[in-house]
Amino acid sequence: MASASLLKSSPVLDRSEFVKGQSLRQPSASIIRCHPASSSALTILAGSYADELVKTAKTVASPGRGILAMDESNATCGKRLASIGLENTEANRQAYRTLLVTAPGLGQYISGAILFEETLYQSTTDGKKMVDVLIEQNIVPGIKVDKGLVPLPGSNNESWCQGLDGLASRTAAYYQQGARFAKWRTVVSIPNGPSALAVKEAAWGLARYAAISQDNGLVPIVEPEILLDGEHGIDRTFEVALKVWAEVFYYLAENNALFEGILLKPSMVTPGAECKDKATPQQVSDYTLKLLKRRIPPAIPGIMFLSGGQSEVEATLNLNAMNQGPNPWHVSFSYARALQNTCLKTWAGRPENVKAAQEVLLVRAKANSLAQLGKYTGEGESEEAKKGMFVKGYVY
């Protein structure tokens, strides 16, 4: 599939280029219209943020680094805090998020951090803006922009993702606050079909979100998560993933999205969590790379996998297997639980445990950095890191 853009290559972002509130608009590029002999015209858009979008995407997709997903909603964050006996208060959320963003040297392994809206405007417990702390660590701030899943009428008990209303004004405000990329998560359920309606709705919503985000300076992370729920085998997951990604890229092109300024956050191709036949890291790698090569244009700079309930070690092993040979894209991670689970339990809400918890976070971040480079061995991993985190019917 051809890219929806024509661009010269761009260098990565310098940290000074994503300072809060700094206007980085380049002189508006013209709309390029190609008029073939037929009456129809091909429109290729290169908006005023085009060069910056490419730079941001390349910065996030830089060697040996990936994304820390810390964009849990306040309700979901509350569930995590409850698991260690803490109340869901803003102060406790602030304390935990401070622990994450201030981990010394985190930017060596983490290139981007996805934030919830509260966090984007929040300060650390020491009074520094979270965004500023990330930038000092050479980590690009990102923002979750979808408004969550709701039932999809006319479907087989499936969902669609809301949040397009008002998205243009919100993304413009997030850019001024220092965000440089965005995330929109929708889901596809294999046990419930997936129906053609649900797949099309997911793809169209992602494409509209991507175009709107790019128009306001944010690199969109495109995430149609194929849920782990189900007893299906890996071949069924592969079949569904082929359909989903074909639809997604069709609508991205229809919406004139700039492929070089997009990042993807796909599910790995695995059996359903309740399938009796488990897959090895090599099998997951083979199926996933086969999917990517059939569906993902090489113009896409980075593929940042979600962990989706895999154990910390399992997610890292699978990523490592996919990086044993050259790929046309940066193949990396965008993990939440698979980076934070042991860290959260180590912290346990106690100030005296912050340093130990940060060290655990850095261990996981380094492990996934090595996996992105294809150099992870799995030696010395704790039993906690090997525990699966799948929750049936998990609500994000």
Side-chain angles (χ1 to χ4, degrees):
M1 183 183 295
S3 167
S5 62
L6 297 174
L7 284 175
K8 296 179 181 179
S9 61
S10 300
V12 298
L13 275 180
D14 180 83
R15 75 172 65 185
S16 64
E17 295 185 80
F18 50 93
V19 175
K20 171 190 165 185
Q22 183 177 347
S23 177
L24 298 178
R25 278 187 178 271
Q26 304 298 322
S28 295
S30 300
I31 295 177
I32 305 169
R33 298 189 183 276
C34 304
H35 296 282
S38 66
S39 58
S40 62
L42 170 66
T43 301
I44 301 173
L45 300 180
S48 57
Y49 285 106
D51 288 344
E52 184 191 348
L53 291 168
V54 176
K55 290 178 184 178
T56 299
K58 285 185 175 182
T59 298
V60 176
S62 53
R65 300 205 295 168
I67 294 174
L68 169 61
M70 48 180 290
D71 58 317
E72 299 89 351
S73 66
N74 288 348
T76 300
C77 194
K79 294 177 183 177
R80 306 273 172 86
L81 294 173
S83 73
I84 57 170
L86 288 185
E87 290 184 50
N88 185 16
T89 64
E90 183 177 356
N92 285 335
R93 294 192 299 270
Q94 178 192 43
Y96 180 57
R97 290 161 178 165
T98 297
L99 180 159
L100 295 175
V101 302
T102 60
L106 186 64
Q108 184 177 346
Y109 315 115
I110 299 298
S111 55
I114 312 173
L115 310 177
F116 189 60
E117 186 176 63
E118 179 181 75
T119 320
L120 183 69
Y121 292 91
Q122 199 170 39
S123 297
T124 66
T125 52
D126 291 332
K128 285 190 82 171
K129 294 290 186 183
M130 296 272 186
V131 168
D132 293 341
V133 173
L134 288 171
I135 291 170
E136 288 173 5
Q137 294 247 47
N138 202 27
I139 297 172
V140 182
I143 178 69
K144 168 186 166 72
V145 300
D146 67 79
K147 293 294 186 179
L149 301 169
V150 292
L152 176 62
S155 71
N156 184 28
N157 197 29
E158 295 164 286
S159 300
W160 69 285
C161 188
Q162 56 188 348
L164 290 177
D165 289 351
L167 182 60
S169 59
R170 286 191 290 119
T171 49
Y174 297 151
Y175 181 93
Q176 290 302 317
Q177 185 63 17
R180 289 297 178 267
F181 69 95
K183 193 201 83 166
W184 176 288
R185 172 186 179 263
T186 192
V187 301
V188 173
S189 170
I190 293 180
N192 290 354
S195 67
L197 172 64
V199 173
K200 181 172 288 189
E201 175 59 43
W204 176 256
L206 285 165
R208 289 303 306 140
Y209 138 78
I212 293 168
S213 295
Q214 288 186 335
D215 195 49
N216 290 285
L218 302 184
V219 169
I221 291 182
V222 173
E223 182 183 359
E225 179 176 355
I226 298 173
L227 297 172
L228 277 176
D229 302 61
E231 301 175 357
H232 53 277
I234 195 169
D235 287 293
R236 175 59 177 155
T237 306
F238 179 74
E239 176 187 8
V240 170
L242 283 173
K243 292 180 180 179
V244 170
W245 282 106
E247 200 90 348
V248 167
F249 272 96
Y250 173 78
Y251 285 116
L252 284 171
E254 285 285 289
N255 281 273
N256 295 301
L258 178 68
F259 285 7
E260 292 88 345
I262 288 174
L263 296 169
L264 306 184
K265 186 171 178 175
S267 311
M268 297 178 190
V269 180
T270 66
E274 296 157 294
C275 179
K276 295 178 181 178
D277 299 321
K278 303 303 178 184
T280 65
Q282 189 59 53
Q283 288 173 313
V284 172
S285 171
D286 290 345
Y287 273 87
T288 305
L289 290 176
K290 182 165 64 172
L291 164 71
L292 299 181
K293 288 171 182 176
R294 290 187 183 182
R295 289 292 183 264
I296 311 304
I300 297 295
I303 298 173
M304 324 298 285
F305 281 99
L306 60 90
S307 55
Q310 300 176 74
S311 75
E312 291 176 331
V313 170
E314 184 182 11
T316 309
L317 285 169
N318 288 338
L319 178 62
N320 186 71
M322 283 185 271
N323 280 299
Q324 293 308 299
N327 292 307
W329 336 263
H330 175 80
V331 175
S332 192
F333 60 92
S334 177
Y335 293 164
R337 286 175 288 172
L339 281 173
Q340 298 181 43
N341 186 55
T342 305
C343 168
L344 178 66
K345 292 181 178 179
T346 302
W347 175 52
R350 298 177 181 273
E352 64 269 25
N353 292 344
V354 166
K355 184 178 179 181
Q358 289 179 327
E359 289 173 353
V360 169
L361 174 64
L362 292 172
V363 166
R364 287 260 50 84
K366 182 179 180 179
N368 285 290
S369 170
L370 290 171
Q372 197 289 310
L373 299 170
K375 298 178 180 179
Y376 173 72
T377 64
E379 295 178 1
E381 291 284 13
S382 68
E383 290 304 311
E384 184 63 45
K386 297 176 183 177
K387 292 180 181 178
M389 292 178 280
F390 169 72
V391 177
K392 188 172 182 178
Y394 179 73
V395 178
Y396 185 74

